[in-house]
């Protein structure tokens, strides 16, 4: 039996970051992981592999659509799907091995196997029981499905199966127009699949800025994705190679059927706590199956903490990482902190979509007086040169103080541009602060400055 200051269960972005920070703060730490490799959902079956496929398929899209106009002539590349999957696997391996290296460097013990908590202060892995002054649960999440939809991970797949299909399907139906469905739907549309997205609501990417939602859907349609909105999926029927998706239109209750070679169920994710023994511990859970924590990430059982997808909040890798660092600091007797008001969200399609802070709808609902500064990428020289003029930057600022309250970007490198606004918001900056900051020319980030200028006396290039 080994004894630790902290044992973390799960090595996703929440768990591994927490383990490294605990070690940096001088604590003796172990991390339990049941998978063959470290890095959790994000590195193995989430963020990293999906971005590898998005990158490869975007390169193909550029070759097919923009190369000739730039004077790059010749045959467009064809898709070697097996090699693309190898590239994705290699990308995963580089990242998961990187975490293994960081564990060794920081002297974090990897306890291999599935862990449970027989009582506070103890973690069981296989037959071995280890002692821990503090336990941090970072067991993550798993895909949620719908009643009547039987997932086999071959024909009817979750995101996990969609990252390793045997071949590129001719017809793909995506159930759910959220981030994961649209990212993976874009991958297959670019690779030649006819992709139809079936969404229960009347808008895509629920919770995002309404103007961004509309522009984004228009652009995706132009890229070949089809949308059936306001449709409630009733069930799927599948054989070894094909599937049928039955849905009802909410407006008139009419029933319809779609044929597909692959159905991707992308209807969200749910917390994963199986096998941890939380019932016997009496740990307080929410009605949505999340572990309840206070503002120090402490659960209802003293000495046990929880972070990441398994607790409330956006299911995002960087949110889990921030909680991992903050919880480590709490355990080490410091004051960990996460600013939940400034957590960016990004969709890695092309163009990218990114947001931080409040939406106009939320501000209206709260009765908050605000102003809007907007700038189109059509007015940005760099974007025009790169065939990336679709989209805009929109900054929302307090009407009287000019303090930035939120930002919504659809356009090139939106996922990187958003961080300028995150930093500004962390420092309580005004739109004018951004507008007065010199931005290098020609860069996409000039569009952020122009949107900030638009909150005041007006943008220059529009
Ligand atoms: C297709 C896809 C794309 C995504 N893209 C992005 C993106 O671009 N950006 C982003 O921010 N987020 C993205 N996400 C979400 C992101 O992956 C999660 O928010 C993030 O991984 C959560 O981190 P976590 O540490 O809480 O849990 P996880 O990453 O889920 O890790 C939990 C780990 O705990 C292990 N575990 C669970 N129970 C036990 C146990 N009892 N014993 C031992 N080990 C256990 C699991 O095996 C797993 O490895 C994506 C998700 C998916 C599915």
């Amino acid at each position: 039996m080994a004894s630790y200051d902290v044992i973390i269960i799960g090595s996703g972005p929440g768990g591994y970051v927490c383990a490294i920070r605990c070690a940096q703060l001088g604590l003796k730490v172990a991390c339990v992981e049941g998978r063959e490799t470290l890095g959790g959902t994000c590195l193995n079956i989430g963020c990293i592999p999906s971005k590898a496929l998005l990158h490869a398929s975007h390169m193909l899209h550029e070759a097919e659509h923009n190369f000739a106009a730039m004077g790059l002539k010749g045959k467009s590349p064809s898709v070697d799907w097996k090699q693309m999957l190898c590239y994705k696997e290699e990308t995963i391996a580089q990242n998961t091995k990187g975490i293994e290296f960081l564990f060794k460097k920081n002297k974090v013990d990897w306890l291999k196997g599935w862990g449970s908590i027989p009582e506070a202060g103890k973690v069981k892995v296989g037959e071995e029981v280890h002692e821990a002054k503090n336990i941090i649960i970072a067991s993550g999440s798993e895909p949620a499905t719908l009643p009547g939809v039987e997932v086999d991970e071959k024909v009817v797949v979750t995101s996990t199966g969609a990252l390793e299909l045997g071949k590129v399907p001719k017809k793909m139906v995506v159930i759910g127009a959220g981030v994961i469905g649209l990212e993976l739907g874009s991958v297959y549309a670019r690779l030649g699949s006819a992709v139809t997205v079936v969404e229960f609501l009347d808008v895509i990417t629920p919770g995002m800025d309404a103007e961004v939602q509309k522009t984004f859907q228009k652009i995706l349609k132009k890229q070949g994705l089809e949308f059936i909105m306001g449709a409630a999926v009733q069930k799927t029927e599948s054989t070894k190679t094909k599937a049928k998706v039955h849905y009802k239109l909410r407006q008139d209750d009419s029933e319809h059927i779609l044929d597909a070679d692959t159905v991707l169920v992308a209807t969200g994710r749910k917390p994963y706590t199986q096998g941890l023994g939380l019932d016997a511990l009496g740990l307080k859970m929410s009605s949505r199956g999340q572990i309840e924590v206070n503002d120090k990430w402490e659960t209802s059982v003293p000495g046990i903490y929880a972070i990441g997808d398994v607790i409330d909040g956006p299911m995002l890798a960087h949110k889990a990482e921030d909680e991992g660092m903050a919880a480590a600091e709490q355990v080490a007797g410091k004051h960990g902190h996460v600013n939940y008001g400034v957590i960016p969200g990004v969709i890695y399609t092309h163009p990218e979509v990114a947001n931080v802070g409040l939406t106009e709808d939320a501000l209206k609902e709260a009765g908050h007086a605000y102003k809007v500064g907007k700038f189109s990428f059509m007015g940005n020289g760099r974007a025009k040169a790169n065939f990336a003029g679709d989209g805009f930057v929109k900054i929302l600022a307090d009407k009287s103080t000019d303090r930035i309250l939120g930002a919504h970007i659809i356009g090139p490198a939106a996922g990187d541009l958003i961080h300028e606004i995150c930093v500004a918001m962390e420092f309580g900056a005004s739109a004018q602060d951004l507008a007065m900051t010199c931005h290098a020319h020609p860069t996409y980030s000039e569009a952020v400055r122009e949107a900030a200028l638009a909150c005041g006396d007006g943008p220059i290039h529009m």
Side-chain angles (χ1 to χ4, degrees):
M1 181 199 285
S3 189
Y4 292 94
D5 293 316
V6 191
I7 295 182
I8 296 149
I9 301 180
S11 73
Y16 86 72
V17 167
C18 185
I20 292 170
R21 180 56 104 224
C22 284
Q24 288 171 338
L25 295 173
L27 301 171
K28 187 169 183 234
V29 56
C31 183
V32 190
E33 177 53 63
R35 258 179 227 282
E36 298 282 299
T37 48
L38 298 172
T41 302
C42 177
L43 273 62
N44 290 282
I45 50 166
C47 329
I48 296 297
S50 60
K51 265 80 253 180
L53 293 182
L54 278 158
H55 176 65
S57 59
H58 176 57
M59 293 291 106
L60 176 68
H61 184 269
E62 286 293 286
E64 285 173 346
H65 293 85
N66 294 329
F67 273 19
M70 289 186 284
L72 299 169
K73 296 219 167 151
K75 217 168 134 254
S76 280
S78 59
V79 177
D80 179 346
W81 178 236
K82 257 197 186 150
Q83 178 54 32
M84 205 178 278
L85 290 181
C86 286
Y87 151 69
K88 179 209 70 174
E89 287 302 321
E90 182 53 31
T91 309
I92 295 172
Q94 280 173 9
N95 281 276
T96 57
K97 285 196 184 116
I99 307 299
E100 229 176 299
F101 164 78
L102 290 174
F103 271 16
K104 280 190 191 129
K105 182 180 160 202
N106 288 283
K107 300 194 173 42
V108 175
D109 287 348
W110 174 6
L111 305 177
K112 295 185 183 180
W114 298 100
S116 60
I117 310 173
E119 58 186 277
K122 290 197 167 50
V123 174
K124 191 172 177 214
V125 185
E127 290 311 308
E128 273 194 83
V129 178
H130 304 270
E131 280 186 350
K133 288 187 199 133
N134 301 281
I135 297 169
I136 300 181
I137 303 172
S139 53
S141 60
E142 61 178 342
T145 52
L146 292 173
V149 175
E150 204 60 49
V151 171
D152 58 22
E153 294 296 12
K154 294 219 154 32
V155 175
V156 181
V157 299
T158 64
S159 57
T160 307
L163 292 166
E164 49 187 24
L165 293 179
K167 58 180 182 191
V168 176
K170 283 206 172 77
K171 276 190 194 169
M172 176 180 252
V173 171
V174 178
I175 307 177
V179 177
I180 293 176
L182 296 181
E183 285 188 355
L184 290 173
S186 287
V187 166
Y188 285 101
R190 291 169 192 168
L191 297 178
S193 305
V195 175
T196 306
V197 182
V198 184
E199 166 59 48
F200 181 78
L201 299 174
D202 297 321
V203 292
I204 66 169
T205 57
M208 287 189 55
D209 176 87
E211 231 177 319
V212 170
Q213 284 173 333
K214 275 190 207 130
T215 306
F216 189 28
Q217 192 175 0
K218 222 188 270 171
I219 292 172
L220 290 174
K221 275 186 185 165
K222 233 170 45 186
Q223 293 175 2
L225 277 83
E226 283 190 24
F227 289 88
I228 299 173
M229 307 302 291
V233 169
Q234 307 294 301
K235 62 173 180 178
T236 55
E237 287 174 315
S238 55
T239 64
K240 274 191 178 152
T241 53
K242 300 252 178 245
K244 285 185 190 301
V245 177
H246 296 246
Y247 68 91
K248 225 184 218 184
L249 283 181
R250 288 197 296 131
Q251 60 180 13
D252 57 8
D253 266 354
S254 58
E255 294 187 7
H256 307 262
I257 300 175
L258 284 171
D259 290 315
D261 302 302
T262 302
V263 178
L264 165 59
V265 189
T267 47
R269 296 179 63 80
K270 56 181 185 194
Y272 182 79
T273 54
Q274 233 172 313
L276 286 168
L278 302 187
D279 280 352
L281 280 170
L283 211 107
K284 220 166 147 196
M285 310 287 287
S286 77
S287 57
R288 297 171 60 201
Q290 298 154 325
I291 297 176
E292 288 200 354
V293 293
N294 63 15
D295 59 359
K296 296 187 173 80
W297 300 279
E298 292 166 321
T299 67
S300 58
V301 176
I304 303 182
Y305 297 71
I307 56 170
D309 279 9
V310 80
I311 67 170
D312 193 20
M315 286 184 164
L316 293 170
H318 41 284
K319 177 258 192 189
E321 289 182 31
D322 279 22
E323 289 175 344
M325 283 194 277
E329 281 168 22
Q330 289 294 344
V331 166
K334 295 175 175 268
H335 298 284
H337 171 71
V338 175
N339 182 355
Y340 286 101
V342 186
I343 294 183
V346 179
I347 308 178
Y348 299 83
T349 44
H350 193 80
E352 290 183 350
V353 179
N355 68 283
V356 65
L358 298 169
T359 59
E360 276 198 85
D361 282 346
L363 287 166
K364 275 180 201 151
E365 209 174 300
H368 197 133
Y370 67 94
K371 53 188 172 173
V372 181
K374 206 174 141 192
F375 188 78
S376 162
F377 280 101
M378 281 299 179
N380 178 272
R382 184 72 177 276
K384 273 197 290 213
N386 295 358
F387 302 105
D390 277 345
F392 56 83
V393 178
K394 177 170 166 179
I395 294 177
L396 307 172
D398 185 279
K399 191 152 196 174
S400 56
T401 66
D402 195 38
R403 189 181 173 133
I404 300 170
L405 303 168
H408 306 274
I409 309 179
I410 176 164
D416 289 302
L417 296 181
I418 197 73
H419 295 98
E420 174 178 359
I421 298 166
C422 294
V423 174
M425 286 176 72
E426 278 288 348
F427 283 85
S430 64
Q432 198 184 10
D433 289 327
L434 267 192
M436 287 173 68
T437 305
C438 183
H439 284 62
H441 176 75
T443 58
Y444 297 137
S445 66
E446 286 173 289
V448 175
R449 184 193 203 177
E450 294 270 15
L453 281 164
C455 288
D457 295 333
I460 302 296
H461 294 91
M462 211 154 64

